């Protein structure tokens, strides 16, 4: 029912696939509503289906969201980006380690 950061959504965006998802767990950190996909209220299956139909029914919108999804994935979740963020976090932790006791 909840998933912190579903890798399937990140992978879909990396392939240029807009994501339709429930706004639950970490999905709101991955999907930008009406830019890289759609977020709907948790477990509202009717809104979920309507969002999919809207996306499939508007080729221009789908292409815009596809490009935005790919760009977002590259900027936020590419290996070098994530590695750098982890390295920065480790440096911050190490810098504060002497202050902790």
């Amino acid at each position: 029912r909840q998933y912190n950061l579903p890798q399937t959504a990140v992978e879909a965006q990396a392939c240029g696939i807009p994501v339709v998802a429930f706004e639950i767990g970490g999905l709101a950190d991955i999907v930008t509503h009406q830019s890289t996909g759609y977020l709907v209220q948790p477990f509202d299956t009717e809104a979920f289906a309507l969002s999919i139909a809207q996306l499939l029914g508007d080729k221009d919108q789908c292409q815009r969201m596809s490009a935005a999804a790919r760009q977002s994935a590259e900027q936020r979740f590419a290996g070098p980006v994530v590695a750098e963020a982890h390295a920065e976090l480790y440096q911050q932790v190490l810098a504060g380690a002497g202050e902790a006791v």
Side-chain angles (χ1 to χ4, degrees):
R1 298 193 128 226
Q2 293 189 17
Y3 192 16
N4 185 32
L5 192 73
Q7 196 63 28
T8 53
V10 173
E11 290 170 355
Q13 287 189 343
C15 292
I17 306 296
V19 174
V20 177
F22 294 117
E23 190 172 5
I24 194 165
L27 285 161
D29 294 324
I30 300 169
V31 180
T32 303
H33 183 63
Q34 296 182 335
S35 175
T36 64
Y38 290 109
L39 292 170
V40 298
Q41 291 299 309
F43 314 115
D44 184 346
T45 55
E46 187 173 322
F48 191 86
L50 288 172
S51 294
I52 293 172
Q54 182 176 348
L55 185 61
L56 294 175
D58 187 338
K59 185 177 180 178
D60 291 336
Q61 182 182 34
C62 187
Q63 288 176 339
R64 284 191 303 274
M65 285 187 170
S66 176
R70 173 70 181 173
Q71 182 179 20
S72 176
E74 288 176 352
Q75 291 174 343
R76 299 170 62 214
F77 300 109
V81 174
V82 173
E84 185 176 329
H86 279 91
E88 288 176 17
L89 176 62
Y90 290 142
Q91 291 300 322
Q92 290 173 4
V93 169
L94 291 173
E99 303 170 12
V101 176

